[in-house]
């Protein structure tokens, strides 16, 4: 799978992805198959250049703006790394929520911060019905500012996790699979179990399971979504998964039985999340300022979780997968039984066995983000990549 | 007005502005007319280069230090953008006030942070008699450090807003006017109304109205300062405005009647500020640790403000301006009636009509800051700008 | 002492320091004499290049990660300056202590932040037995990540101050001495008094006195450690100092008499620190959650300090040094009697006399840090320095 530069570039040249240019990356299902494949290819090419000590800086100056409405070390480092790789400097927008709540204010702020901005990365995953809406609004406002001549360039918006999707995570996950299985074509027919798992903490976001079923159903895979009753994800995203499976010749099924999901699976992705309906209720309570009710809800959810401590990725369960050897995936950090908590999502021995692949899985994220920016800001990515190659500037003068 | 590169460079070459070099930018009235014009011209030239995808990086490495003794998203982004445009990396000095209060400590800190610093941007506008004094002290200490051989380069200090002036804002405002009216020479005889307007919040800084009357009186304009009785600005700055008007063939008048100020105005700049005397009292109370008295003062000021809710930039008032069509200006964010507050500085319909010009007004700020740094750090700016043009390095390899 | 570029490069070429490459800098006594001398030489060479407006950027992109488990303006700026000088962008890891407490989590976080990281600078000096251990763990984990193919490059770890040593400070101090005395060979036989001094604050770190006796004993100097009874430093580090003195032909003595230490000293370094045993007790109490006991301990220590207000660097004491003219050193900020406190470490007149040398002492730190990164990341530093010289790219296009 270690293609050389020319193979990658030829692959890229054969794809139609021109609509990525001057656009945003909010949801994977907004994009065509060839567009996603172009992003994978550009990510691999950027990595090739960097691993060969060749500069990947396409920006001589310019800002990458991060808006994190939730704490995040890992996503922050991934976004910073991606921007740095391309030559952009990070500037964080650190406003209180209240200050950027109004539509008017979002429009003004979006323009005021964007005079030199080439990309705006946003993480806003806390409230159902809010994050994606906010990201879309920012994208529309900077588009308007660009058309009105306020902005000299059109900053591209990259979704670093919203209430609906987590494309930088799931695209990195997919690129990891492509490398592990030796090519995107080899994913066809593989069974992936996206299953709920018990965690002592409550209210983990839905964006990963939703993003996984929305994306993996595009590669002809057999995607199984498993969770206890009451832990449903957004019905709209299940619909996306269903249609994808149909269109791309895969399969999307649901079960309330973890063992069934793991049976003969090639890939397992066990992690905790909160029920969609409960998160929606929480958002409404929050909007109404009913904080006592929110505390009640959290207590109820924790109690509900506690009934499902048997939903764990154990050694025994792993043995039931394809050759007892399925690829274990996680977006990290995982709740590891006996390590980070008493009872968690995964046995310590399972986690340990897959530590290196898990870290490698994460290593794709900066490249995926960089590839999204690259394809959205550069008119002819293949030509620019060739220029970087020809220019052959050392990343480190060593 | 869209001059080409050669016109701009020729204009610059005809100006005497050599004293900007190795100096600071604290107050516009410290500078000669040709110095200000050089800054406008360099700002336009940098913008020309960037808009034509030509690198404006004159620094290969180096730090721009920001000291914000007050929160500020927009000024922070402007300063970061300006530094990034020139190749400097931002490092924020985030010390508590107490830590840098003493003269000894200011001297030491100013040197300790400046070993690699090319510019120090300071915003310190909260207390009358403090901000400008602090900025001058930092400038003197780094000058001394440079002469003593402690610092290899002399970082230039840029006033990002103090208690007296707000030169990066007002210079950007002036450049906006130059572009709107087709040249600095066309500002002659134009009437600009710098007027107070009601806002539900209290204690907005005086630096904008002071900066505007201190700067706009230099271009032969008819500057009217309007406010209710009791909302006087610093008398020293009024004196600057009076002398400027005399020297540069303009006019400076005062009125307590908003309608009079707006009558036949070419430009209106309605915004709220706190009375100078009250701010001075507040500073003294703060120094004496009389916090209860400060609360009393704030209450009194809010009550005083509330008597003047009729000081608003309404549709009706706008009709009385030149051809009913004056250019509306604001440093943003504005208090918009019915949008950001119940009763504010400006009608929503007026604000909406001018949204794009307002955003463009703001877009000049990063370039003004960059031009200040450029002229203060580069010995022969015209030559260096020519080098950037000849070098023709792409800002974005696209 | 102002050697030219070729002298410096020839000096460097004569040294054996190849083991610095792909290694970390945690303790000066882990390094050979020639390795330290190589770092001094690279620091001087980088400074030569920068002072001659020649770019020192060896990194086209890449991150420098800072982990400050304690507030620090000056160290932060030094590290940022060093990274900037070489072309690295700073990204701060700002996690709560609890989040990175576990071994598992340290390993995972160390890898997750390091995908694009070339250096990790860590300051962790608060708890005896913790800081160095943590830094070593991070170094091991990224080494492992590199070997496992998770990381494309091996980030080097630089100790920005731990519980045991403060190498970036003491190496900068040593380079200051080398410049003041005109060469490393001239330090032989010089007497340096590392003495305790009274400060009204409690619990200052031991890393400076420990680092100084651990390093200065290597240059054939006569190192005297002076403190009141009960203010002992770590016995292991005293042992290092003793062995160094023996090996390198110097002298290491201890005294409880400040006057004895100052007598005929060429260099004095008076500063406050907390007794090692008390800091160890404090760490244990902290680990056991005994916060009331910690308060008791602090009270006891402050009372103990107060008995030694006569341990001060006075004019009188300075007169007893070599020719009444010893070089006064301090890591800054100092507690200056009558300036920053009522009674402190040093007389205001003494401090004032040495202000410029003190500031110059501090100015070496960014270069020392940069030289550590340079020698640890670049395979053939002499060759790369020559490339920078030949390339002759302007730091500032002026």
């Amino acid at each position: 799978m270690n293609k050389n530069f020319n193979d990658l570039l030829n692959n890229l040249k054969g794809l139609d992805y021109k609509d990525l240019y001057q656009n945003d990356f909010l949801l994977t299902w907004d994009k065509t198959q060839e567009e996603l494949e172009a992003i994978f290819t550009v990510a691999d090419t950027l990595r090739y250049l960097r691993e060969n000590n060749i500069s990947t800086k396409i920006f001589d100056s310019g800002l990458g703006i991060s808006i994190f409405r939730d704490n995040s070390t890992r996503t922050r480092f991934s976004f910073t790394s991606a921007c740095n790789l391309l030559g952009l400097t990070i500037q964080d927008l650190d406003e209180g929520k209240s200050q950027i709540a109004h539509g008017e204010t979002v429009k003004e702020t979006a323009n005021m911060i964007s005079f030199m901005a080439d990309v705006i990365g946003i993480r806003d995953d806390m409230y159902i019905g809010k994050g994606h809406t906010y990201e879309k609004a920012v994208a529309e406002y900077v588009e308007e500012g660009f058309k009105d001549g306020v902005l000299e360039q059109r900053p591209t918006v990259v979704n670093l996790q919203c209430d609906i999707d987590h494309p930088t995570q799931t695209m990195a996950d997919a690129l990891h699979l492509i490398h592990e299985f030796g090519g995107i074509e080899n994913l066809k027919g593989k069974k992936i179990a996206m299953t709920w798992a018990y965690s002592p903490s409550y209210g983990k976001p839905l964006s990963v399971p939703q993003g996984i079923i929305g994306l993996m159903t595009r590669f002809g895979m057999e995607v199984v979504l498993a969770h206890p009753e009451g832990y449903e994800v957004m019905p709209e995203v299940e619909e996306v998964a269903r249609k994808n499976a149909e269109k791309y010749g895969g399969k999307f099924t649901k079960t309330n039985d973890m063992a069934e999901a793991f049976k003969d699976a090639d890939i397992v992705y066990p992690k905790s999340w909160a029920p969609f309906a409960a998160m929606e209720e929480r958002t409404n309570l929050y909007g109404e300022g009913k904080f006592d009710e929110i505390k009640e809800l959290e207590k109820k959810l924790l109690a509900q979780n506690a009934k499902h401590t048997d939903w764990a990725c154990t050694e025994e369960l792993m043995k039931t997968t394809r050759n007892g050897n399925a690829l274990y995936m996680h977006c990290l950090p995982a709740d590891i039984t006996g390590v980070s908590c008493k009872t968690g999502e995964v046995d310590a021995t399972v986690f340990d066995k897959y530590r290196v692949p898990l870290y490698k899985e994460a290593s794709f994220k900066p490249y995926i983000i960089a590839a999204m920016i690259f394809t959205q800001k550069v008119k002819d990515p293949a030509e620019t990549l060739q220029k970087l190659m020809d220019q052959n500037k050392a990343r480190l003068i060593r």
Side-chain angles (χ1 to χ4, degrees), chain A residues 83-191:
Chain A
C83 284
N84 175 264
L85 197 69
L86 300 178
L88 297 174
T89 296
I90 287 291
Q91 176 64 42
D92 194 46
L93 176 69
D94 187 20
E95 286 196 305
K97 263 166 210 174
S98 60
Q99 282 180 269
I100 38 172
H102 293 284
E104 276 310 299
T105 317
V106 172
K107 182 186 279 194
E108 195 170 298
T109 303
N111 277 276
M112 292 304 111
I113 62 176
S114 294
F115 296 130
M116 305 286 159
D118 286 295
V119 55
I120 305 176
I122 305 176
R123 176 172 170 178
D124 187 351
D125 63 298
M126 294 282 277
Y127 299 103
I128 291 290
K130 305 289 182 194
H132 176 65
T133 308
Y134 172 71
E135 293 180 3
K136 238 171 57 177
V138 170
E140 276 161 26
Y141 294 143
V142 294
E143 173 77 24
E144 193 183 317
F146 180 59
K147 286 190 172 151
D148 285 341
V150 169
L151 304 179
E152 289 153 22
Q153 72 296 320
R154 187 342 191 148
T156 185
V157 177
V158 172
N159 172 13
L160 300 175
Q161 186 166 3
C162 73
D163 51 324
I164 302 180
D165 196 6
H166 193 347
T168 62
Q169 177 66 46
T170 59
M171 289 285 286
D173 292 342
L175 190 52
H176 177 55
L177 290 182
I178 290 168
H179 280 257
E180 287 288 327
F181 288 89
I184 197 165
E185 63 281 5
N186 295 339
L187 300 185
K188 203 164 191 71
K190 295 287 181 298
K191 178 178 177 183

Side-chain angles (χ1 to χ4, degrees), chain A residues 284-345:
Chain A
N284 294 337
L285 291 173
Y286 195 89
E288 295 159 19
K290 294 182 172 168
F291 297 104
D292 285 348
E293 282 85 348
I294 287 178
K295 272 184 198 158
E296 277 309 304
L297 178 65
E298 294 183 4
K299 225 180 281 181
K300 208 183 76 185
L301 287 168
L302 280 171
Q304 184 181 339
N305 275 10
K307 290 182 197 159
H308 306 291
T309 51
D310 56 324
W311 281 70
C313 181
T314 59
E315 284 280 355
E316 292 68 42
L317 219 42
M318 283 303 286
K319 282 181 190 149
T320 69
T321 65
R322 180 93 54 212
N323 305 324
N325 202 21
L327 182 66
Y328 166 80
M329 295 180 84
H330 201 284
C331 53
L332 300 181
D335 287 317
I336 308 164
T337 299
V339 178
S340 45
C341 55
K342 230 181 92 183
T343 314
E345 298 168 321

